[in-house]
């Protein structure tokens, strides 16, 4: 029965993925490897005599991976541990600890303080350290153990070169069998850490070898780079399995024998071999006296899985796990039972199983091909006609999703140990928001990447595993489950094959985390699925700005809204456009009000001093007041708000806001020229940080992203050139030429914002690597350290006479600037793609801030013409920068015998400004909403429209305010002149109006005809 069902399912896909020819080819490939085939050859011509291994991340799990899982389980902000480990660089506590300059006790004390300061909460670092050094975690990867055995069997030397430390018992942390290695070099013993070249030379000296005779494996880029600079051949390890493949190619012989991903059967999992052999001989009609080979796969999660070899037949057996299952869980009795043990048998299909859904070590194009093949197979499963293959009675017809929800609730209640509010909300919310229309197809029920067997050389699926939950149901279930890996943290146990019943207690600790994640998804992104549902009781929100009593004055131009019932999470999740800050989710609404208080208490009062500094002789040095305010913003949690949730789903770097949520906060920051920098949300750093998050390697992130996120460095983006129309990025002429281990840059750039700032440490440079490639594949992006020789600043440029110190806008020449090859982003020819992606949500940040400019300009205008009451004078003082003689002028707002407030033209200007602001705000929010809903590419029309509208609208509104102020509006006593300058400049900086008009017209014609 079990074998027959497997064959039936395989026949469904025989026309495409499960071709026996591929299986035969792979078997021959395995046989050649076992026979020492010449397929594994070293083409370099030199002979390696030793392999040197790093420990963490190569032989055992890296501290970063361990930290990520520990943070999830202990509800510590993601990235805290890794950030603290990197703090201080060579002189930080982690590096000093590994050089034995401080004790374990001293390290934990200093490290704990750092972590607590960064996360704003108490961090139990003792618990993390215990986990990191525990036997359960610090286990050598089996694939590496096998590789070392094969290397030594071939007569090569092995060494371990590790940055490690002394434990509290004064023993060094090296949880390895030292007998595996000819040489062991430990940083804590030698007092030297990688990437110091001396420690590599010491290892080579003890091996008695030249650098070219050895191969070094490490998971950290700087360590690999240092070894390569000495002439050692290197392998950057992202995944041990992939690293072993690279090592095999270099050495010219195989390092893995036997059946992949298997081990001897654990004693607690043993099954009776004699009775099994007899059963299989009868079932398969085999006449043999040979032994039955039995191994256990390390991959089976819910049910132990075995490899069986009998008389040249390769089989797989899955059986019920020990212990009691939850009701309706993976009950193996549904499959087959014999000899007293419930199990079933399948054919063994050799191939590759990708356990990590992030597919580390693979190129983006390869990862895309893997997931395309996965999706193709899922489509084929759902395309099977159940009746045609005899499965019309395989499950109940209809109402599959409601049944699944009831089953999930039942399972949860059966295992519930405490009340989790987020889970209770989900249990109440989910049954009310199920799709009305449902299809019925064959569904797998557990469709994910590590349940697929791939061809070893092509992105093709050979087999689909784990059919216990298959039935007739709605295909949306499979689609949703296969997408789950995208939303869970990369270290989540389920994603790494760790969620077996044996780990149930450990995994149970994650329940609250998962329920909060699910609820967050429901209220923020659930409308992507349910957006077409009809509204029975549509929510009505008030959007009348300035609707409260005039006694509740808001002098900074922020919006207030009339009182309405708070939007329920259910309504908020249906995809309605959130046009009021009061309709934001409670955490984001609280964040908005916290930012509003911060602006009122700290930012607006500081503006006169900050403006004075910009006009002083010290203007090209950062204002100490700005730095003080940055620390206050960090302490308030008003830091790095800009990174969108889709770019940072684990909230590792930012606040995890959607574009719509950030739009409301960005508008508020836009009411001050200084607030974006104070909250580390100012351009060009925001775009550059997002570029590094999306496209940077781990080494690039460590060197550049972390200092930018911490506000310890600034950056610039060099694309615009004086010789060409740079609004078309394909026009750029600056050259990037390959030379040895460097790229050499030559070019002339200008309007490089921020390059004059003494804190600017990084220039993101765009140039041409191949002028003969297709038009959009000629450009590349390099990360250029600002201290690199050859960068020559010609002059600062002014905008309407404003210098915009200390960052400014520079004209720069790059003359024979040598940049290491590892500073290339993504790879040659990817520059145009990166430039487009860099704009991402940053495309509309300027538009959001322009709404803030406009709101404050209108508020200033209204205060200017108010009657001379005590309240009016207070409004004036709250809105303007203090000036010695203007406070007396507030009393007389009369022109031609009439107060200004009664002048018809002024009233008309106020009305027109209010209308234009509201129109532009709605368009900005719509663009942000579409970006959240369907992605940046789908929002191209909305983005182009708001870029057309917002700068021009802001210019008109600010111009009317200036007109109401008279000559005072042109002065630096008020922010109006600077507002107007930047609104006008953004009609170039954010792309010229003509380009946006052309884009809108083309898309309009494309979609409307």
């Amino acid at each position: 029965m079990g074998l027959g069902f497997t064959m039936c399912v395989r026949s469904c896909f025989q026309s495409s993925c499960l071709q026996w020819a591929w299986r035969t080819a792979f078997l021959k490939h395995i046989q050649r490897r076992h026979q020492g085939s010449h397929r594994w050859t070293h083409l370099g011509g030199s002979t390696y005599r030793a392999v040197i291994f790093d420990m963490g991340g190569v032989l055992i799990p890296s501290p970063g991976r361990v930290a990520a899982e520990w943070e999830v389980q202990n509800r510590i902000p993601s990235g805290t541990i890794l950030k603290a480990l990197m703090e201080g660089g060579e002189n930080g506590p982690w590096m000093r600890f590994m050089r034995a300059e401080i004790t374990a006790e001293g390290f934990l004390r200093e490290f704990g303080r750092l972590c607590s300061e960064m996360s704003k909460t108490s961090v139990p670092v003792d618990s993390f350290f215990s986990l990191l050094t525990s036997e359960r975690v610090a286990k050598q990867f089996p694939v590496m153990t096998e590789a070392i055995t094969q290397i030594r069997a071939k007569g090569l030397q092995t060494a371990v070169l590790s940055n490690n430390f002394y434990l509290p018992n004064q023993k060094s942390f090296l949880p390895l069998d030292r007998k595996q290695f000819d040489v062991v070099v430990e940083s804590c013993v030698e007092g030297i850490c990688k990437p110091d070249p001396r420690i590599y030379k010491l290892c080579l000296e003890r091996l008695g070898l030249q650098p070219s005779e050895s191969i070094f494996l490490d998971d950290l880029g700087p360590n690999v780079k240092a070894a390569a600079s000495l002439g050692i051949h290197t392998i950057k390890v992202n995944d041990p399995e992939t690293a072993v493949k690279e090592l095999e190619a270099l050495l010219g012989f195989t390092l893995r024998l036997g059946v992949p991903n298997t081990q001897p059967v654990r004693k607690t999992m043993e099954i009776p071999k004699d009775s099994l052999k007899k059963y299989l001989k009868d079932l398969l009609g085999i006449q043999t006296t040979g032994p039955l080979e039995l191994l256990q796969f390390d991959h089976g999660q819910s049910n132990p899985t075995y490899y069986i070899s009998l008389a040249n037949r390769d089989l797989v057996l899955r059986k019920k796990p020990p212990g009691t299952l939850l009701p309706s869980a993976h009950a193996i009795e549904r499959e087959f039972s014999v000899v007293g043990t419930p199990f079933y048998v399948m054919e063994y299909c050799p191939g590759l199983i990708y356990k990590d859904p992030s597919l580390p070590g693979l190129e983006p194009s390869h990862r895309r091909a893997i997931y395309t093949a996965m999706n193709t197979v899922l489509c084929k499963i759902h395309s099977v006609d159940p009746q045609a293959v005899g499965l019309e009675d395989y499950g109940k017809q209809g109402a599959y999703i409601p049944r699944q929800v009831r089953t999930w609730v039942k399972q949860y209640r059966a295992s519930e140990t405490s009340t989790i509010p987020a889970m209770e909300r989900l249990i109440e919310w989910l049954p009310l928001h199920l799709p009305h229309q449902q299809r019925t197809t064959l569904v797998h029920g557990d469709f994910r990447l590590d349940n697929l067997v791939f061809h070893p050389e092509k992105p093709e699926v050979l087999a689909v595993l784990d059919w216990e939950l298959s039935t007739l149901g709605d295909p949306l279930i499979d689609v949703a489950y296969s997408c789950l890996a995208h939303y869970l943290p990369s270290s989540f146990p389920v994603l790494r094959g760790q969620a077996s019943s044996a780990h149930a207690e450990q995994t149970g600790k994650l329940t609250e985390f998962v329920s909060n994640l699910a609820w967050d998804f429901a209220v923020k992104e659930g409308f992507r699925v349910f957006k077409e549902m009809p509204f029975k009781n549509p929510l009505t929100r008030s959007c009348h700005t300035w609707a409260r009593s005039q006694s509740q004055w808001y002098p900074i131009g922020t919006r207030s809204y009339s009182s309405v019932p708070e939007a329920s999470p259910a309504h908020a999740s249906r995809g309605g456009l959130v046009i009021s800050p009061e309709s934001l989710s409670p955490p984001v609404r609280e964040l908005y009000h916290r930012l509003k208080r911060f602006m009122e208490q700290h930012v607006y009062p500081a503006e006169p001093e900050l403006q004075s500094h910009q006009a002083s002789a010290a203007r090209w040095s950062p204002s100490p007041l700005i730095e003080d305010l940055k620390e206050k913003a960090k302490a308030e949690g008003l830091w790095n708000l800009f990174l969108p949730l889709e770019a940072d789903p684990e909230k590792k770097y930012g606040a995890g806001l959607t574009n719509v949520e950030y739009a409301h906060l960005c508008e508020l920051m836009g009411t001050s020229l200084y607030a974006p920098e104070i909250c580390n949300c100012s351009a060009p750093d925001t775009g550059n940080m997002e570029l590094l998050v999306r496209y940077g390697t781990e080494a690039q992130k460590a060197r550049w992203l972390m200092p930018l996120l911490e506000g310890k460095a600034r950056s610039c983006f060099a694309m615009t050139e004086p010789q060409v129309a740079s609004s078309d990025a394909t026009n750029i002429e600056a050259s990037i030429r390959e030379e040895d281990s460097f790229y050499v840059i030559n070019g002339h750039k200008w309007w490089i914002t921020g390059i004059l700032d003494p804190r600017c440490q990084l220039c993101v440079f765009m140039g041409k690597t191949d002028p003969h490639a297709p038009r959009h594949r000629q450009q590349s992006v390099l990360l250029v350290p600002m201290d690199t020789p050859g960068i020559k600043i010609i002059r600062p440029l002014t905008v309407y006479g404003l210098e915009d110190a200390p960052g400014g806008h520079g004209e720069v020449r790059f003359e024979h600037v040598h940049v290491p090859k590892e500073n290339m982003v993504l790879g040659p020819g990817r520059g145009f793609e990166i430039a487009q992606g860099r704009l991402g949500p940053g495309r509309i940040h300027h538009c959001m801030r322009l709404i803030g400019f406009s709101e404050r300009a209108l508020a200033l205008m209204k205060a200017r013409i108010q009657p001379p009451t005590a309240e009016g004078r207070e409004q004036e003082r709250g809105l303007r920068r203090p000036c010695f003689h203007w406070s007396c002028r507030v009393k007389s707002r009369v022109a031609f015998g009439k107060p200004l407030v009664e002048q018809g033209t002024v009233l008309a200007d106020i009305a027109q400004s209010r209308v234009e602001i509201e129109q532009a705000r709605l368009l900005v929010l719509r663009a942000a909403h579409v970006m959240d809903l369907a992605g940046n590419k789908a929002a191209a029309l909305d983005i182009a429209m708001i870029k057309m509208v917002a700068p021009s609208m802001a210019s008109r509104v600010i111009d009317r305010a200036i007109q109401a102020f008279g000559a005072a509006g042109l002065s630096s006593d008020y922010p109006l002149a600077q507002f107007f300058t930047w609104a006008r400049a953004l009609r170039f900086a954010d792309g010229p109006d003509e380009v946006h008009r052309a884009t809108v017209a083309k898309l309009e014609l494309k979609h409307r005809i």
Side-chain angles (χ1 to χ4, degrees):
M1 175 178 173
L3 184 61
F5 175 68
T6 304
M7 292 296 292
C8 172
V9 173
R10 292 183 66 152
S11 68
C12 298
F13 319 113
Q14 196 161 4
S15 61
S16 59
C17 297
L18 301 179
Q19 300 177 22
W20 293 109
W22 287 125
R23 183 176 183 277
T24 303
F26 184 67
L27 287 171
K28 290 179 180 178
H29 162 76
I30 292 291
Q31 290 165 3
R32 287 200 303 271
R33 287 185 54 188
H34 287 191
Q35 294 164 4
S37 166
H38 290 294
R39 180 180 184 275
W40 297 98
T41 57
H42 176 48
L43 302 178
S46 61
T47 302
Y48 297 112
R49 297 173 58 190
V51 180
I52 306 169
F53 296 87
D54 173 37
M55 183 169 69
V58 177
L59 298 176
I60 65 173
S62 69
R65 287 287 179 92
V66 176
E69 181 178 340
W70 180 83
E71 287 169 342
V72 169
Q73 295 175 347
N74 290 271
R75 302 180 68 182
I76 302 299
S78 179
T80 298
I81 294 294
L82 191 58
K83 186 177 177 183
L85 290 176
M86 295 166 57
E87 181 73 14
E90 290 296 314
N91 297 316
W94 179 240
M95 295 299 285
R96 288 188 287 123
F97 182 39
M98 292 192 293
R99 292 194 297 262
E101 295 174 3
I102 55 176
T103 64
E105 181 182 4
F107 164 72
L108 290 174
R109 183 169 56 251
E110 197 170 340
F111 185 60
R113 177 184 57 78
L114 273 176
C115 290
S116 297
E117 288 177 356
M118 291 175 177
S119 63
K120 305 296 188 296
T121 186
S122 177
V123 179
V125 293
D126 289 343
S127 166
F128 167 70
F129 190 71
S130 297
L131 177 67
L132 179 67
T133 56
S134 66
E135 292 184 4
R136 178 171 68 85
V137 168
K139 288 182 178 179
Q140 188 165 315
F141 297 123
V143 67
M144 286 297 181
T145 303
E146 190 174 15
I148 292 170
T149 301
Q150 297 303 317
I151 291 168
R152 294 177 66 82
K154 292 291 185 179
L156 277 70
Q157 295 186 81
T158 55
V160 63
L161 174 55
S162 176
N163 282 0
N164 65 345
F165 45 81
Y166 283 114
L167 296 167
N169 62 8
Q170 297 306 308
K171 293 182 179 179
S172 64
F173 176 62
L174 196 82
L176 307 170
D177 182 357
R178 291 175 181 259
K179 295 177 183 178
Q180 299 176 100
F181 307 103
D182 298 283
V183 170
V184 175
V185 179
E186 303 174 80
S187 66
C188 63
V189 175
E190 309 300 338
I192 313 170
C193 280
K194 293 173 293 182
D196 190 321
R198 293 177 295 169
I199 199 167
Y200 301 93
K201 294 176 181 177
L202 182 63
C203 184
L204 291 171
E205 181 183 326
R206 292 179 182 175
L207 285 168
L209 299 176
Q210 295 299 313
S212 61
E213 297 176 304
S214 61
I215 302 171
F216 174 62
L217 292 85
D218 200 297
D219 66 322
L220 297 180
N223 296 346
V224 171
K225 180 181 176 182
S229 69
L230 297 173
I232 302 172
H233 196 99
T234 59
I235 294 176
K236 172 74 162 54
V237 179
N238 294 310
D239 169 68
E241 294 273 357
T242 305
V244 167
K245 291 180 185 178
E246 294 183 43
L247 188 56
E248 285 175 327
L250 288 174
L251 294 175
F253 54 83
T254 182
L255 299 177
R256 293 166 294 177
L257 297 174
V259 179
N261 305 314
T262 60
Q263 60 187 354
V265 179
R266 295 192 292 272
K267 287 187 177 182
T268 56
M269 298 292 182
E270 288 180 346
I271 57 178
K273 294 174 66 173
D274 291 340
S275 58
L276 177 61
K277 179 180 177 181
K278 181 179 183 303
Y279 167 76
L280 292 175
K281 286 174 64 177
D282 294 341
L283 178 68
L284 302 173
I286 297 174
Q287 300 297 322
T288 180
T289 58
L292 179 144
E293 181 184 1
L294 189 66
L295 297 171
Q296 186 172 354
F297 284 98
D298 56 18
H299 178 62
Q301 289 188 16
S302 56
N303 297 302
T305 308
Y306 303 82
Y307 166 80
I308 301 170
S309 178
L310 180 64
N312 296 322
R313 295 296 298 268
D314 297 321
L315 305 169
V316 174
L317 179 147
R318 283 171 68 80
K319 79 177 198 68
K320 179 182 177 180
T324 303
L325 290 174
L326 289 173
S328 302
H330 284 216
I332 204 74
E333 287 88 346
R334 291 183 55 201
E335 297 157 358
F336 200 74
S337 178
V338 75
V339 297
T341 304
F343 72 95
Y344 77 103
V345 177
M346 305 172 284
E347 286 188 301
Y348 172 61
C349 180
L352 299 178
I353 295 177
Y354 297 103
K355 298 181 183 178
D356 188 336
S358 66
L359 298 175
L362 298 185
E363 290 294 321
S365 60
H366 194 180
R367 291 198 295 269
R368 189 179 302 112
I370 291 293
Y371 275 103
T372 297
M374 175 182 177
N375 294 335
T376 299
V377 166
L378 185 58
C379 289
K380 290 185 177 295
I381 291 174
H382 295 158
S383 299
V384 170
D385 182 350
Q387 187 171 359
V389 296
L391 294 175
E392 64 271 19
D393 297 325
Y394 193 57
K396 296 178 181 179
Q397 295 282 343
Y400 174 72
I401 294 180
R403 287 200 309 274
Q404 287 293 100
V405 172
R406 289 194 296 270
T407 299
W408 296 334
V409 172
K410 184 178 179 181
Q411 290 176 344
Y412 173 72
R413 294 299 186 204
S415 60
E416 184 179 16
T417 57
S418 61
T419 300
I420 300 174
M423 187 65 81
E424 298 303 321
R425 290 197 298 266
L426 273 175
I427 290 173
E428 179 182 356
W429 180 88
L430 195 55
L432 302 176
H433 294 82
L434 301 178
H436 295 308
Q437 297 181 351
Q438 298 183 31
R439 293 176 53 207
T440 298
T441 68
L442 179 66
V443 295
H444 182 274
D446 196 12
F447 193 82
R448 59 176 189 264
L449 187 66
D450 60 345
N451 272 335
L452 305 179
V453 179
F454 282 84
H455 190 283
E457 297 177 352
K458 296 183 178 182
E460 295 188 23
V461 178
L462 298 176
V464 181
L465 309 177
D466 212 353
W467 289 87
E468 293 96 306
L469 295 179
S470 61
T471 185
L472 298 182
D474 194 300
L476 266 181
I477 291 289
D478 281 343
V479 174
Y481 192 62
S482 67
C483 294
L484 186 61
H486 176 72
Y487 293 94
L488 291 175
S490 59
S491 60
F492 199 77
V494 169
L495 302 182
R496 300 186 179 276
Q498 301 169 5
S500 66
S501 55
H503 293 83
E505 182 177 353
Q506 175 190 350
T507 306
K509 297 178 182 179
L510 301 173
T511 305
E512 185 171 0
F513 169 81
V514 173
S515 56
N516 279 301
L517 184 72
W519 178 249
D520 189 57
F521 174 86
V523 298
K524 285 189 175 180
E525 301 192 49
F527 60 82
R528 296 190 184 194
V529 177
F530 308 121
K531 62 181 180 180
E532 295 181 357
M533 290 179 60
F535 289 86
K536 293 182 179 179
N537 296 300
L539 179 67
T540 302
R541 294 193 184 98
S542 169
C543 59
H544 297 289
T545 58
W546 304 94
R548 292 185 183 177
S549 167
Q550 286 298 315
S551 63
Q552 296 177 301
W553 174 249
Y554 289 82
I556 58 174
T558 56
R559 291 172 284 152
S560 81
Y561 294 81
S562 58
S563 178
V564 295
E566 182 179 324
S568 70
H571 281 114
S573 68
R574 287 188 177 181
L577 179 60
V578 179
I579 61 174
S580 160
E582 298 307 319
S583 296
L584 294 166
S585 66
V588 181
R589 186 168 64 244
E590 192 279 328
L591 183 64
Y592 177 90
H593 288 296
R594 198 187 326 149
L595 175 62
K596 181 174 178 290
R597 289 193 299 272
F598 182 82
M599 299 280 289
E600 292 170 343
Q601 295 171 9
H602 300 291
V603 177
Y604 302 118
E607 286 184 331
E609 182 176 339
L610 294 175
Q611 194 277 333
S612 296
H613 180 82
Q614 275 194 314
S616 71
R619 63 189 179 279
W620 295 108
S621 296
S623 165
L625 179 56
I626 281 277
E627 300 305 314
D628 290 343
L629 290 172
K630 284 183 177 180
E631 293 305 314
K632 286 184 171 69
K634 281 184 186 178
E636 291 280 344
L638 303 172
W639 192 254
N640 293 333
L641 304 175
F642 66 94
L643 268 173
L645 185 65
E646 56 91 14
D648 183 27
E650 298 177 26
K651 304 180 185 179
K652 185 176 181 180
Y653 305 112
L657 301 174
T658 65
N659 287 295
V660 168
E661 289 168 341
Y662 181 62
H664 291 282
L665 278 74
C666 192
E667 177 186 330
L668 186 53
M669 284 186 280
T671 59
S672 171
L673 293 163
Y674 307 100
E677 181 184 352
I678 289 169
C679 295
N680 211 36
C681 294
S682 61
D685 291 334
T686 49
N688 293 338
M689 284 188 273
E690 188 172 344
L691 180 151
L692 288 165
V693 169
R694 289 177 181 273
Y695 307 118
T697 65
E698 291 305 315
Q700 290 168 350
K701 290 177 183 178
R703 182 173 182 186
W704 303 116
L705 177 60
M706 299 315 294
L708 287 170
L709 287 169
E710 292 167 0
K712 295 180 179 178
R714 299 298 304 271
S715 63
C716 61
F717 186 78
M719 186 181 81
T720 305
E721 298 177 2
Q723 301 91 344
V724 298
S726 301
S727 56
D728 181 352
T730 63
N731 282 340
I732 61 170
E733 295 178 345
S735 68
I736 300 175
R737 176 173 50 83
E738 190 173 351
E739 184 179 292
D740 298 328
S741 59
F742 293 91
Y743 286 108
V744 181
I745 295 174
N746 284 281
H748 184 188
K749 303 282 188 179
W750 73 341
W751 294 108
I752 310 307
T753 299
I755 199 168
L756 303 172
D757 195 316
R759 299 165 295 179
C760 183
Q761 297 179 14
L762 170 66
C763 175
V764 180
F765 183 94
M766 188 169 176
K768 280 190 178 178
T769 43
D770 185 359
H772 306 293
R775 190 163 177 245
H776 293 89
R777 297 286 293 177
Q778 298 176 3
Q779 306 82 13
S780 300
V781 168
L782 279 174
L783 304 176
V784 184
M786 280 300 297
D787 58 1
T788 308
I791 301 176
K792 299 179 180 179
I793 297 176
I794 300 171
R795 58 171 176 151
L797 301 167
T798 63
V799 183
Y800 286 161
L802 295 175
E803 294 173 319
D804 197 22
H809 313 276
E811 183 176 357
V812 189
R813 286 195 183 274
F814 294 81
E815 297 178 351
H816 306 293
V817 179
H818 284 64
V819 181
K821 283 188 175 179
E822 57 264 30
N823 286 21
M824 177 70 75
V825 181
L826 275 185
R830 308 290 293 275
F832 189 83
E833 171 190 347
I834 293 166
Q836 293 298 306
R838 177 185 179 272
L839 293 173
R843 288 173 180 271
I844 62 171
H845 290 178
H846 283 311
C847 298
M848 297 168 178
R849 283 188 284 267
L850 285 167
I851 305 297
F853 280 18
S854 305
E855 279 288 5
R856 189 165 182 197
L858 179 57
L860 282 162
M861 182 180 181
K862 293 192 294 183
R864 181 73 173 174
I865 67 168
Q866 292 293 313
T869 62
E871 183 181 10
R873 289 192 293 272
E874 183 62 30
Q875 294 165 4
E876 171 81 4
R877 285 193 290 271
L879 282 164
R880 57 183 288 283
R881 294 172 181 149
C883 182
F884 294 110
H885 59 281
W886 278 105
S887 59
C888 61
R889 294 284 302 276
V890 75
K891 297 178 180 179
S892 54
R893 296 289 178 263
V894 177
F896 303 104
K898 262 186 175 182
L900 289 181
V901 74
E902 296 177 11
Q903 299 283 354
T905 56
V906 175
L907 294 175
D909 282 349
I910 290 174
Q912 189 64 35
S913 292
R914 167 52 58 209
V915 170
E916 290 180 1
I917 291 172
E918 293 301 328
Q919 289 172 332
R921 176 186 290 118
L922 288 173
L923 195 53
V924 168
L925 291 173
R926 174 191 157 87
H929 177 65
V930 175
M931 291 166 72
D932 288 332
L933 186 71
N936 300 342
K937 187 174 181 180
L941 176 61
D942 298 271
I943 291 169
M945 287 194 296
I946 193 56
K947 284 191 169 191
M948 277 178 56
V949 168
S952 297
M953 176 279 300
S955 296
R956 291 192 301 271
V957 170
I958 298 164
D959 184 64
R960 293 183 192 115
I962 291 173
Q963 201 69 16
F965 269 74
L970 303 175
S971 74
S972 59
D973 291 346
Y974 297 87
L976 295 173
Q978 282 182 281
F979 280 167
F980 184 85
T981 298
W982 297 126
R984 182 61 184 87
L986 284 172
R987 292 174 62 190
F988 292 116
D990 216 20
D993 291 351
E994 292 78 4
V995 170
H996 303 316
R997 291 192 195 108
T999 300
V1000 172
K1002 288 176 184 177
L1003 290 172
E1004 181 69 17
L1005 291 171
K1006 178 180 177 181
H1007 296 303
R1008 300 297 189 272
I1009 292 180

